[in-house]
Amino acid sequence: LCSSFGDAATLRRYVFIHRLCDATYCNYHGIPQLSADQSSCSCICDSNTNWQGGRCETCEPPAKDPAVHGGNCDECEYDGQFVRNDPTACFQCTIQDHCSNHADQVVADATNTGCLCSCSNRWSGSDCSVCGSEYAASPPGECNECAVGFVNVASTGLPTCTACTIATHCSGNTSSMTSASGLATRCDCDCSNKWSSSDCSVCATGYDPASDCATCDVGYVSVSPLTVNCVQCDIATDCGGNAHSVTTTPDRTACLCFRSPGHIGASASAGGLATRCDCDCSNKWSSSDCSACAASDPASDYATWVVGYMAVSPLTVNCVQCDIATDCGGNAHSVTTTPDRTACLCFCSPGYIGASCSSCGPTGPNGYIEEAGQYIQCTIPTRCTPTGTDVVTADNGVCVCNCKDRWVGDKCDSRPVRLEQTSCDKCAVGYINYPTCDQCNVIDHCSGHATSVTSDPANKFCTDCVCTNSWTGSSCDSCAAIYTQADCDQCAEGHFAYDVCTLCTVKDHCSNHASTVVPNSQKTKCDCTCNHAWTGDSCDICPPGIDPATDCAQCLVGYIGFPNCVKCNIATNCNNNADSVTSSPDFLSCQCDCRNMWSGATCSQCNSQFDGADCDVCASGHTGYNICDLCTIADHCENHASAVTPVPDPNPTSCTCTCRNHWELPDCLTCPPQFGGSDCDTCGIHRINYPTCTLCTVNDDCSNH
């Protein structure tokens, strides 16, 4: 063995180096490496920490001080400023490098392994690099303005952009629409046909809204292409002034005149001298020229009964002449019909009153009333306004005026509320279709979804419905899909915050950390079903001890027991006998880096070759901490000693041999030259008298001869 190493000293150095070059030499922070000639030991420091130095004994800043932080050198010292994104260095979080320059603030996360950005404006994503399609990302928008085609529905703060839709913003009456970018609050509608107003809800006068405002309304005809104009039919212009009314043909291409008697032709402009007309007589007219009327009134185009006749069945069946004997009980001096030809009107003889002159009344002639003992004649000048046609005596003995046109009241001095009061020749505001003048109402004209409604200026259509709840459209018949369709008064399924009604999404309302999201029962916010251990209303909080980088699905390094992650502790988990502690790869148990020569999973064992209160010295009879070999004659005294003990020292580093015979200290390896024998127990060559072993010489022992 000695010959392999040249000399005993080299051999001893080899043994020492081999025993010394282990994990303890590198302070358990690196891998020990023997040199090529096996004459020295060096360390390769752990690449996942900041330990440096020849024996991995130095923790380089900005890593945390291991003396303060459980012996670890794997976290950044400056919390909130630095993160470890490289195995051997800590780097500072910056808005430019880690938040795409789109954040108001950036800090390190709880584990100092990543950066947390507080995104500005409407930027999103872990690095604030995502701007939703509804927002304008490029300058000058900077994700703080709506993109083209979207409008801002938020009254204050950051914009909330909603897509423009034809149904919601243009009443369904357009083929295209958009919005200006920026903070536009309304959509720009390109109204189709003759629709107008900002939301295309108004159909131009003269056009029929029932046909999508694409054709002329009743009473109007197209005199040029539809895109130019619809002109109202006029008796003077289109019927030569010789008609009692005018409308349009069904296809709205021509005016249709209802001629006055004695006029013929499409415009009623020709005289009645035609010698031969093939007539398809209307109403009750008959004969070849439709000149004979079966007891009907020619003044009404023979469409009603002549004065003195009334209908006792539908018009097409019969008209019966009023008769004094039959209809007035024989107690009248004359009889006619009511203005609507539905009943006989008796002019009672003196002393009789009642509709059929069947009751006795004040004495005196019909058309007189009794006042102060005298009979006063009922006359239009004294009892009616000039709008009365005649005046008669009523059953109760008062004068009753028969009004002309559409005047009403005891004195024919009032107009029906449905008529315009100054002229009585058109409907009042809120009424349409003269002369019937039907009242506009929210049930028929606003689908029952409005608080009020009025008529257009021409009193042709009911317009300007003031819709309730979130109904839209000219007749309040449109409810956007974001609302419930029953009464458009609540958010639809999956939406919240009426009447904005935003759709709940995992991305927008649960930080992308949820499996499902639905509105709460009051539909005031979104309720998230958070993934793993995420908490908070928007699943944005990963509890302490849990790693957000794993989607909050496992404990941080140094913690165990997911989801109730507890930090590994030197006192609790390592019996206070460790330099550091971390978690196992499966995060189910703690792994102790035992101090000194403590061993076992919890650093609870001090092996027999070690001793001391902290397992920090060799046991009795052992030497060379932290190897602590047992001192033996064979290993330390070359089997040439009678006894061996450790060097007297609190922490001995070598053994003391009591050499046998004449073997030399310290390790009984050398036998002096004056001695010999297998155990250095005889004199050497040329020597005598053991143990003095005097050298034989020619001078002393041979008399120099």
Side-chain angles (χ1 to χ4, degrees):
L1 180 62
C2 290
S3 62
S4 300
F5 290 92
D7 56 47
T10 302
L11 173 61
R12 287 196 297 273
R13 185 166 57 252
Y14 170 82
V15 173
F16 175 75
I17 291 298
H18 271 260
R19 289 174 176 173
L20 181 65
C21 198
D22 62 3
T24 60
Y25 183 82
C26 299
N27 292 286
Y28 293 95
H29 301 141
I31 301 172
Q33 296 285 312
L34 279 170
S35 62
D37 60 2
Q38 301 188 353
S39 63
S40 63
C41 184
S42 62
C43 298
I44 299 176
C45 298
D46 187 352
S47 62
N48 293 320
T49 67
N50 266 18
W51 290 107
Q52 297 182 29
R55 297 180 64 183
C56 304
E57 74 281 8
T58 304
C59 184
E60 290 297 316
K64 289 184 177 179
D65 182 358
V68 180
H69 297 283
N72 294 324
C73 186
D74 58 356
E75 297 184 39
C76 296
E77 176 64 36
Y78 305 108
D79 291 334
Q81 299 182 31
F82 291 84
V83 297
R84 178 176 299 282
N85 56 6
D86 183 274
T88 61
C90 294
F91 294 91
Q92 186 173 13
C93 293
T94 67
I95 291 175
Q96 178 174 352
D97 294 336
H98 301 95
C99 306
S100 307
N101 242 355
H102 299 149
D104 298 320
Q105 182 183 14
V106 61
V107 297
D109 63 14
T111 63
N112 281 4
T113 58
C115 300
L116 296 176
C117 302
S118 297
C119 299
S120 57
N121 300 334
R122 286 297 186 183
W123 292 101
S124 61
S126 61
D127 59 351
C128 301
S129 62
V130 178
C131 183
S133 60
E134 64 269 37
Y135 300 102
S138 300
E142 276 300 323
C143 210
N144 193 31
E145 297 181 353
C146 297
V148 174
F150 293 81
V151 291
N152 179 26
V153 298
S155 58
T156 59
L158 290 174
T160 299
C161 301
T162 300
C164 291
T165 65
I166 291 174
T168 302
H169 300 94
C170 303
S171 308
N173 297 325
T174 182
S175 57
S176 63
M177 46 130 284
T178 184
S179 73
S181 61
L183 298 177
T185 56
R186 68 179 181 86
C187 301
D188 295 329
C189 303
D190 183 11
C191 301
S192 58
N193 301 329
K194 286 294 182 177
W195 293 103
S196 61
S197 81
S198 62
D199 61 353
C200 300
S201 61
V202 178
C203 185
T205 301
Y207 294 85
D208 184 6
S211 69
D212 194 24
C213 206
T215 60
C216 296
D217 199 359
V218 175
Y220 291 79
V221 293
S222 177
V223 296
S224 59
L226 179 60
T227 54
V228 176
N229 201 9
C230 286
V231 177
Q232 188 173 14
C233 292
D234 178 71
I235 291 176
T237 303
D238 300 296
C239 305
N242 300 320
H244 58 81
S245 62
V246 63
T247 184
T248 52
T249 57
D251 59 4
R252 310 290 197 271
T253 59
C255 296
L256 183 61
C257 301
F258 291 92
R259 305 177 298 279
S260 299
H263 293 80
I264 60 174
S267 60
S269 59
L273 300 178
T275 59
R276 179 64 178 179
C277 292
D278 294 327
C279 303
D280 182 10
C281 300
S282 60
N283 302 324
K284 286 293 184 176
W285 290 101
S286 62
S287 78
S288 60
D289 59 355
C290 299
S291 60
C293 177
S296 296
D297 184 5
S300 67
D301 197 19
Y302 301 96
T304 59
W305 309 275
V306 73
V307 175
Y309 288 78
M310 68 173 186
V312 295
S313 59
L315 177 63
T316 57
V317 177
N318 200 8
C319 291
V320 178
Q321 186 173 15
C322 293
D323 177 70
I324 291 177
T326 302
D327 301 296
C328 305
N331 301 319
H333 59 79
S334 61
V335 63
T336 185
T337 52
T338 57
D340 59 4
R341 312 294 198 266
T342 59
C344 295
L345 181 63
C346 300
F347 293 93
C348 301
S349 300
Y352 292 91
I353 60 175
S356 59
C357 301
S358 58
S359 301
C360 294
T363 57
N366 188 35
Y368 288 78
I369 60 172
E370 184 177 4
E371 289 183 353
Q374 296 183 350
Y375 289 106
I376 306 300
Q377 186 177 10
C378 294
T379 64
I380 290 176
T382 60
R383 300 295 174 174
C384 306
T385 62
T387 55
T389 57
D390 57 62
V391 61
V392 297
T393 306
D395 291 348
N396 58 357
V398 298
C399 296
V400 176
C401 300
N402 292 319
C403 305
K404 63 182 177 181
D405 295 332
R406 291 174 177 77
W407 291 93
V408 295
D410 292 342
K411 295 183 179 181
C412 300
D413 56 356
S414 299
R415 301 280 193 180
V417 68
R418 67 180 182 276
L419 297 175
E420 201 278 329
Q421 296 297 300
T422 58
S423 63
C424 208
D425 61 352
K426 63 180 180 180
C427 297
V429 175
Y431 295 81
I432 60 172
N433 298 330
Y434 183 85
T436 59
C437 294
D438 303 314
Q439 185 175 13
C440 294
N441 64 85
V442 297
I443 299 298
D444 296 331
H445 302 100
C446 305
S447 308
H449 302 147
T451 56
S452 63
V453 62
T454 187
S455 58
D456 69 331
N459 301 110
K460 293 290 185 180
F461 312 104
C462 292
T463 59
D464 297 331
C465 295
V466 180
C467 301
T468 58
N469 302 329
S470 295
W471 291 100
T472 59
S474 59
S475 57
C476 300
D477 58 352
S478 178
C479 181
I482 61 174
Y483 305 108
T484 56
Q485 301 300 301
D487 200 22
C488 212
D489 60 346
Q490 298 180 26
C491 292
E493 186 72 21
H495 296 70
F496 77 103
Y498 185 83
D499 57 0
V500 175
C501 293
T502 302
L503 178 65
C504 289
T505 67
V506 169
K507 175 184 176 182
D508 294 335
H509 303 97
C510 307
S511 308
N512 254 346
H513 298 149
S515 56
T516 60
V517 58
V518 295
N520 64 356
S521 57
Q522 295 81 28
K523 292 190 175 182
T524 57
K525 65 184 186 70
C526 299
D527 283 343
C528 303
T529 302
C530 299
N531 290 331
H532 309 308
W534 289 102
T535 63
D537 288 346
S538 58
C539 301
D540 58 344
I541 300 172
C542 191
I546 302 179
D547 189 359
T550 65
D551 197 21
C552 207
Q554 71 179 35
C555 296
L556 284 167
V557 174
Y559 290 76
I560 62 172
F562 182 83
N564 301 311
C565 298
V566 177
K567 188 172 185 178
C568 292
N569 181 275
I570 291 176
T572 303
N573 303 106
C574 306
N575 292 290
N576 254 341
N577 295 328
D579 291 324
S580 64
V581 63
T582 188
S583 53
S584 62
D586 59 6
F587 298 94
L588 296 179
S589 62
C590 296
Q591 289 184 336
C592 302
D593 182 10
C594 297
R595 187 172 60 254
N596 301 328
M597 298 311 296
W598 291 102
S599 61
T602 59
C603 300
S604 60
Q605 301 171 13
C606 185
N607 293 336
S608 60
Q609 68 265 40
F610 306 108
D611 203 352
D614 200 19
C615 202
D616 55 350
V617 297
C618 291
S620 178
H622 294 73
T623 184
Y625 188 85
N626 50 12
I627 299 174
C628 294
D629 286 336
L630 178 64
C631 287
T632 67
I633 292 173
D635 292 336
H636 299 90
C637 304
E638 304 295 331
N639 262 336
H640 298 153
S642 59
V644 62
T645 59
V647 173
D649 187 272
N651 202 351
T653 59
S654 63
C655 300
T656 299
C657 300
T658 303
C659 298
R660 283 194 317 272
N661 303 322
H662 293 282
W663 291 103
E664 289 186 333
L665 295 174
D667 52 6
C668 305
L669 177 65
T670 304
C671 185
Q674 65 268 39
F675 300 103
S678 62
D679 198 22
C680 202
D681 56 353
T682 63
C683 289
I685 298 174
H686 307 304
R687 289 180 183 270
I688 59 172
N689 298 325
Y690 180 85
T692 58
C693 293
T694 303
L695 179 67
C696 293
T697 67
V698 172
N699 185 50
D700 293 336
D701 296 295
C702 299
S703 302
N704 211 18
H705 298 146

